Amino acid sequence: MSAAQPVPARSRRRGRFDPQMAVVVARYALRSCFPTKRRIGLALPAAGALLFALLARVIPNSAPVALAQVADGGLFGVVLPVGCLVIGDAVLGAEVRAGTLHFTWLSPASFATIVAGRWLAGFAAALVALALPFGLAAVVAGVPEAIAPLMVAAAAGSAAYVAVFVLLGALTRRAVVWSLGFVVLGERLLGTALSGLAQWCPGWEARAVYARLGPEALDTLHRKGIPEGGSAVVRLVILTLVALGIAAVRLGHLRLSGPSGD
Amino acid sequence: MTVTPGSPPTAPAPAPPVEPALDPAFVPNPTVVVSGVSVFFGPKVALSELSCSFGPGVTGLLGPNGAGKTTLMRAVTGLLAVSAGRVWVAGGDPRSDRAVQGHIGLVPEDEAVPGGLTPRELIRYRAALHSVADRQAPDRWLAVVGLLDAADRPMDGFSKGMRQRAKVAAALVSNPTVLILDEPLNGADPVQRANLIRLFRQLGDQGRTVVVSSHVLYEVERLAERVVVLVTGRLAAAGDRRGIRNAMADRPRRVLVRADPPRVLAAALAGHEAVGGLEVDGDRLTVATRRAGDLALALPGLARSAGVRLWEVRPLDESLEALFRELVR
């Protein structure tokens, strides 16, 4: 091949971000990535949130303190990451493994558009499956003033979580294993020890959102060196954007070799 | 099944001329050019320095299982990055140039379809992704592939043939210039098979570049005038299908003859011009020949005159794999 190739414009090659097309991708992802079984699976974390709220009622502390206790260990420690893991894997990683991503990949839509659409679908699912139950949990726990703080924290945290899990879906076929590794080893083990790392962990930052906005928060929810409230939301937004940006680049380097992976 | 939806595709920018026009692996006005492409999966070589091109009309991509057909098709669509070499589709790189994807339609071999979706939903999604303005296009393509009645049933419960037809409609709804079909007839019943073959030929006649892979020789012969043969990731043969067929017919073959007594028949065959070699093992006589047709004509007469009873005559290496192996020698 000796003929010189005309170099197309960068935007033509990669395509432009198209918000309308991202909505098209999101609607499709919501329909195709959440079949009945997965929807039932998503009901489990929601049920878990309500069970933790019931647990708060039997803790011999004031209702806000009890809610903060279950929020720390249960809602933000278990329900949020597990629910987001299921959702984040469903919108990208599961499709890569199933060999059906090519229906989306083989289109003029830019990788940024595809990733944004997938994330949008995951975020919408997380709002319904996690943020709403978190709000309901505040009611069940008898702390109605915590409804908005819990929902905001859940929404901001799930936005970042889903973005991270979408990124892992674009990076590896074993996205679930790596996602679990991120939560257990990265967040819980290393994040507990290192504040510098915890600043960029969705779970810790979601706690920090609630720590500032919530009616009463335990000392464990306040953590030195981690920004709280609005600053934590900004961190989570930055984390979301960075993860989605890397995922978009990575999507262009995926080897889509069918369901077997051969 | 007739092709009506969609106007003939706009001619894409021509791919760069890469090889002499006389080489049968290349076509004069290519829309797809594969130049020195190799694909490795770890230590496994799936494609090895493959160079060929595809142009308007139907081209059959033939090869035994594991020959690299699917890998080539995925490389041409951009789904797979090539380890070495380049691929051009409609003048661009399908891997990095998103605009090129507007020209490509793919029907993959695997059965995977998005869970819970109906064919109508999938095709409408594909139409929306490609900004197809014609809102009736999805239903028209569903009718073309004979799935209109099942358009609102979840594809989870579809047979393999129905899934393939749904994927054909999903690939065609964007009116692609280049259509890559990986074993598209798998699972189709005989009627649908005939309809799909007619459809693909019509698409080729419209000026689209249609590449159809199969490991079944007669299917490709019914579909395509031009054939590209892959074996173990290498180009084994390319050109007019009759030329390929003749090349295969002239290759050396081995024919098993069970006769009583075999040694007498061997003596009678020894001087015949169609016979290249003889081997007797018990009641089995193996005859090597380059002219199997002549041997078949002469054998009954020779056996009768020698007083030999024939029990069985069959080729030992008639499988497609054997033909392919012979082609790459």
Side-chain angles (χ1 to χ4, degrees), chain A residues 1 5 12-14 21 28 31-32 98 100 102-109 111 114 252-256 259, chain B residues 16 18 35 40-41 74 77-79 81 88 95-98 101 106 108 110 112 114 116-117 121 125-126 128 130:
Chain A
M1 179 70 55
Q5 297 305 303
R12 177 181 177 261
R13 283 191 287 121
R14 293 190 175 179
M21 199 59 77
Y28 164 81
R31 182 75 184 84
S32 72
T100 52
H102 67 82
F103 288 112
T104 302
W105 201 96
L106 290 175
S107 72
F111 296 127
I114 293 172
H253 295 88
L254 272 184
R255 268 194 161 188
L256 295 168
Chain B
V18 288
S35 178
F40 310 120
F41 294 109
R74 287 187 177 270
T77 55
L79 290 175
W88 281 268
R95 186 75 178 155
S96 60
D97 190 339
R98 298 301 290 162
Q101 292 299 336
L106 169 72
D110 55 70
L117 243 63
E121 287 172 322
Y125 173 57
R126 293 283 304 163
H130 285 263

Side-chain angles (χ1 to χ4, degrees), chain A residues 1-5, chain B residues 15-20 23 25-26 30-39 47-54 72 75-76 81-89 92-94 233 235:
Chain A
M1 179 70 55
S2 56
Q5 297 305 303
Chain B
V18 288
E19 296 292 337
D23 189 333
F26 297 88
T31 36
V32 177
V33 176
V34 177
S35 178
V37 163
S38 297
V39 175
L47 290 178
S48 178
E49 296 180 359
L50 184 70
S51 293
C52 59
S53 65
F54 303 92
L72 174 60
V76 164
V82 298
S83 309
R86 291 288 302 271
V87 175
W88 281 268
V89 176
D93 181 349
L235 185 71

Side-chain angles (χ1 to χ4, degrees), chain A residues 8 20 25 58 64 82 89 96 106 141-142 185 225 250 254:
Chain A
Q20 278 187 319
V25 174
V58 297
V82 170
D89 180 62
V96 173
L106 290 175
L185 298 177
R250 174 61 194 159
L254 272 184

Side-chain angles (χ1 to χ4, degrees), chain A residues 7-255:
Chain A
V7 180
R10 189 186 173 96
S11 60
R12 177 181 177 261
R13 283 191 287 121
R14 293 190 175 179
R16 292 177 185 279
F17 175 70
D18 182 344
Q20 278 187 319
M21 199 59 77
V23 172
V24 168
V25 174
R27 286 174 60 187
Y28 164 81
L30 278 173
R31 182 75 184 84
S32 72
C33 300
F34 296 100
T36 310
K37 276 184 188 173
R38 201 166 272 141
R39 284 181 203 170
I40 293 170
L42 279 180
L44 295 177
L50 298 181
L51 287 174
F52 276 117
L54 288 171
L55 183 65
R57 294 184 75 98
V58 297
I59 293 175
N61 276 327
S62 69
V65 172
L67 178 62
Q69 283 176 320
V70 297
D72 180 35
L75 298 180
F76 295 114
V78 178
V79 175
L80 191 65
V82 170
C84 288
L85 193 155
V86 174
I87 292 168
D89 180 62
V91 293
L92 191 70
E95 273 227 317
V96 173
R97 291 193 301 276
T100 52
L101 188 64
H102 67 82
F103 288 112
T104 302
W105 201 96
L106 290 175
S107 72
S110 67
F111 296 127
T113 303
I114 293 172
V115 165
R118 295 288 167 152
W119 171 82
L120 192 59
F123 183 54
L127 287 180
V128 175
L130 296 169
L132 279 179
F134 271 43
L136 202 56
V139 177
V140 172
V143 192
E145 62 272 28
I147 294 173
L150 265 182
M151 287 181 71
V152 169
S158 58
Y161 262 132
V162 170
V164 168
F165 296 143
V166 164
L167 168 62
L168 290 171
L171 285 172
T172 171
R173 286 182 86 91
R174 297 183 178 183
V176 175
V177 175
W178 281 95
S179 298
L180 275 172
F182 171 80
V183 172
V184 176
L185 298 177
E187 281 202 325
R188 301 306 294 266
L189 204 65
L190 295 175
T192 303
L194 306 168
S195 292
L197 186 68
Q199 286 184 33
W200 297 104
C201 291
W204 287 107
E205 287 295 349
R207 279 185 182 88
V209 172
Y210 184 69
R212 172 64 63 86
L213 302 180
E216 183 160 349
L218 291 170
D219 287 343
T220 51
L221 284 176
H222 294 288
R223 191 168 162 181
K224 231 178 187 178
I226 293 188
E228 294 182 344
S231 301
V233 172
V234 171
R235 291 271 174 148
L236 289 167
V237 170
I238 292 171
L239 182 61
T240 302
L241 293 175
V242 170
L244 293 180
I246 298 171
V249 173
R250 174 61 194 159
L251 201 61
H253 295 88
L254 272 184
R255 268 194 161 188

